[in-house]
Amino acid sequence: MTSLTKLPIVVLVSGSGSNLQSIIDAAANDLPVDIRAVISNKASAYGLERARQADIPARVLEHTDFEDRPSYDRALMALIDEYQPALVILAGFMRILTPEFVVHFQGRLLNIHPSLLPKYRGLHTHQRALEAGDKLHGASVHLVTEELDGGPVILQVNVPILPDDDEASLAARVLTQEHIIYPTVIRWFAEGRLRIVSGEIMLDGDRLDGPKMMTFNQSATF
């Protein structure tokens, strides 16, 4: 498959970029995407180095160079649009996005969140799950809307909480599963299985009324 037939995507990162690496690795195998750029709001983000090592354009747009959030987001929109992506992937991009930004990329903006949404929106999800005494935790891939971590969930994975878990061990176990479910959803988009029709999520021609569920260590093939 040539790059002309692959789904063009742009990935946004703020940190280490481990989810980005899972997408890069999948694209080097058989994930039909063309990663046109990796963009970060931090020049120190290791995700940029991952992009460079894979010969992917790595761009920096420091949020500290802008006077407010709207002006930064408008500049970020323009930078992303240079690459004409069909899908924009948030992979640890630690910025709350303005409504203008979300509307501009509506229906083609994905995020992954380390909890079983709608539980534990926001930060410190692993510690909150432990403090609540939950038996199951997990991660969710969702469409981004103007509501923080509130967009329709496409795919979730259940991760068991073990008796001796702490925040670090639980986070590590969840992260391994994030690396499976994020490329899975991107593949569904790239293969035309997942579409947004009149604001509704369609998977294989059927309306998705709730998230698909994957159990811990289950194959990513559906």
Side-chain angles (χ1 to χ4, degrees):
M1 181 177 291
T2 68
S3 61
L4 294 177
T5 62
K6 294 181 178 181
L7 188 78
I9 68 173
V10 166
V11 184
L12 307 186
V13 300
S14 293
S16 69
S18 69
N19 270 303
L20 164 65
Q21 189 64 56
S22 74
I23 298 167
I24 291 173
D25 293 344
N29 188 10
D30 64 351
L31 181 65
V33 298
D34 174 19
I35 308 173
R36 293 191 170 175
V38 172
I39 301 171
S40 181
N41 63 312
K42 296 182 178 180
S44 61
Y46 186 68
L48 293 169
E49 180 59 27
R50 295 182 190 272
R52 295 183 188 106
Q53 290 175 5
D55 293 322
I56 298 167
R59 303 289 300 271
V60 178
L61 190 69
E62 293 268 13
H63 63 273
T64 53
D65 292 339
F66 293 81
E67 62 181 13
D68 55 29
R69 193 177 301 274
S71 61
Y72 176 80
D73 277 13
R74 284 191 291 271
L76 182 59
M77 285 162 49
L79 178 57
I80 294 170
D81 283 345
E82 289 180 19
Y83 296 96
Q84 299 182 308
L87 205 56
V88 178
I89 306 297
L90 305 180
F93 188 64
M94 303 303 291
R95 297 276 301 169
I96 295 176
L97 300 167
T98 58
E100 180 183 6
F101 184 96
V102 173
V103 169
H104 183 73
F105 295 109
Q106 191 169 35
R108 54 192 179 109
L109 185 60
L110 283 182
N111 185 45
I112 191 162
H113 183 73
S115 80
L116 294 172
L117 291 171
K119 296 184 75 172
Y120 310 128
R121 299 177 184 181
L123 302 175
H124 310 300
T125 62
H126 311 301
Q127 188 61 40
R128 289 157 68 189
L130 289 168
E131 290 173 353
D134 291 351
K135 302 300 184 184
L136 283 177
H137 190 38
S140 307
V141 178
H142 66 96
L143 281 175
V144 177
T145 63
E146 296 173 32
E147 182 182 3
L148 179 64
D149 298 327
V153 179
I154 300 166
L155 179 61
Q156 292 183 320
V157 59
N158 290 316
V159 176
I161 297 179
L162 304 179
D164 59 348
D165 265 331
D166 57 18
E167 185 175 6
S169 64
L170 181 57
R173 194 177 312 110
V174 170
L175 190 60
T176 65
Q177 301 303 296
E178 291 183 30
H179 296 164
I180 297 172
I181 65 171
Y182 217 177
T184 296
V185 173
I186 295 168
R187 180 183 300 279
W188 290 348
F189 264 98
E191 294 178 347
R193 295 178 58 191
L194 187 66
R195 298 181 299 119
I196 312 300
V197 180
S198 301
E200 294 187 331
I201 301 173
M202 306 293 292
L203 180 62
D204 295 331
D206 296 322
R207 186 176 69 183
L208 193 65
D209 292 322
K212 287 284 187 179
M213 295 298 301
M214 180 190 299
T215 56
F216 185 65
N217 281 341
Q218 183 176 325
S219 168
T221 300
F222 284 83

